[in-house]
Amino acid sequence: MNTPRAAGPLIRRIEERLVLERSEVPRSVLDECVRETWSSFEHARVQAFVPLLVERAVLARIGRLADADDVPLTEASLRTWAWLTARRLLASELPRRWAHTWGVARRAQQIAPAFQQDEREVLVAAAWLHDIGYASGVVVTGLHQVDGARHLVGCGVPFRVCALVAHHAGAAAVADLVDLTDALAVFDDEGGPVRDALWYCDMTTGPDGRPVTFGERMAELRRRRSADDPVVRALAVNESERAAAVHRTEQRLRLAGIAGR
């Protein structure tokens, strides 16, 4: 969305106030809502009141979305819908998983400028949604990547996002161990920079949402899960694949001038 350059400082001031009032709302969602709302007032006859009107309208919109039990995908952008869906499924039932998800999505938003505009929303949406398969209302097979992806297909989410969720964190190696290879095969593993970036964000974010190194994340995973857990057993196959995705993304970020952590 193109916003007049002169409106930039006003929009930033509005966002700063909104961040203080609704700290539980991601900055990226607030920015999106402010810019969309601002555009609806661009032809207002009295421009002096536009910032106040925009702020009030955004607060009302965020309130409606956040209070809804389930928001149809047609009523919000993919990125906003992804945040709302992940929050609904994880925040109360699995608060630590929600903290991790918030950290992964925050990292995705930070590195998004390294990608083309049309891929940024895909990356951020997949980051918000990558672990919804852990929610009790979504679990079917017990492989959270497959369960999350299947749920998203039923919600009408673009299939590319579903497939990114299905294959994140080296899911193929785990699926082989739990006899779910055919279930995962429904979703193509696209490879490439966006897929790598999702893995990077997940593999450099700890369970509490704080940034960690890849080595720290692997060590934490082994401490948290038993040695016979399929996720740990699969590391014999997919740890090097995970590390390669992280390395490729770090190279991409360096070329784009974006800090690695």
Side-chain angles (χ1 to χ4, degrees):
M1 178 179 298
N2 294 320
T3 303
R5 183 174 300 179
L10 290 173
I11 287 176
R12 285 192 290 274
R13 285 200 289 271
I14 293 172
E15 289 175 1
E16 293 300 333
R17 289 196 296 270
L18 290 171
V19 165
L20 293 176
E21 291 193 51
R22 298 301 299 260
S23 60
E24 79 283 8
V25 181
R27 181 65 177 262
S28 60
V29 172
L30 288 174
D31 178 73
E32 183 177 274
C33 288
V34 169
R35 291 178 185 278
E36 288 181 359
T37 305
W38 187 281
S39 67
S40 68
F41 286 101
E42 64 180 342
H43 298 300
R45 295 179 64 183
V46 182
Q47 289 290 310
F49 295 106
V50 167
L52 178 60
L53 294 173
V54 168
E55 188 171 343
R56 288 178 176 176
V58 170
L59 282 172
R61 180 182 178 188
I62 289 293
R64 287 193 302 271
L65 291 172
D67 292 341
D69 291 333
D70 193 3
V71 176
L73 187 54
T74 54
E75 293 185 12
S77 71
L78 176 60
R79 179 169 46 189
T80 297
W81 182 90
W83 161 63
L84 290 166
T85 299
R87 191 189 71 153
R88 175 173 57 83
L89 292 171
L90 299 174
S92 296
E93 180 186 358
L94 300 168
R96 197 162 189 240
R97 183 64 58 183
W98 174 235
H100 168 72
T101 296
W102 186 283
V104 172
R106 179 175 59 242
R107 191 67 190 119
Q109 186 65 40
Q110 290 168 347
I111 71 171
F115 296 86
Q116 296 294 325
Q117 185 67 41
D118 60 343
E119 294 193 316
R120 295 175 187 176
E121 185 169 46
V122 170
L123 172 59
V124 175
W128 280 117
L129 298 166
H130 79 286
D131 271 355
I132 64 167
Y134 283 110
S136 60
V138 177
V139 173
V140 177
T141 69
L143 182 59
H144 78 279
Q145 293 99 323
V146 167
D147 291 338
R150 285 177 169 180
H151 180 81
L152 295 173
V153 169
C155 293
V157 172
F159 197 76
R160 183 185 183 191
V161 175
C162 302
L164 286 167
V165 168
H167 282 277
H168 82 272
V174 184
D176 286 345
L177 292 172
V178 296
D179 296 324
L180 287 171
T181 300
D182 290 344
L184 182 62
V186 172
F187 304 94
D188 293 331
D189 183 3
E190 69 175 57
V194 175
R195 177 264 220 180
D196 283 353
L198 177 61
W199 289 31
Y200 164 83
C201 293
D202 188 21
M203 292 297 98
T204 59
T205 302
D208 58 1
R210 288 183 291 187
V212 295
T213 66
F214 175 74
E216 290 169 339
R217 182 81 160 104
M218 292 298 96
E220 177 278 323
L221 190 155
R222 286 185 167 94
R223 288 195 303 270
R224 178 162 45 89
R225 295 175 179 266
S226 64
D228 61 349
D229 187 302
V231 174
V232 175
R233 291 166 57 202
L235 291 177
V237 176
N238 70 18
E239 185 170 4
S240 60
E241 184 183 18
R242 295 186 188 203
V246 170
H247 178 67
R248 287 191 295 267
T249 302
E250 288 173 339
Q251 288 184 312
R252 185 180 186 87
L253 297 182
R254 282 193 291 270
L255 289 173
I258 297 174
R261 290 179 66 186

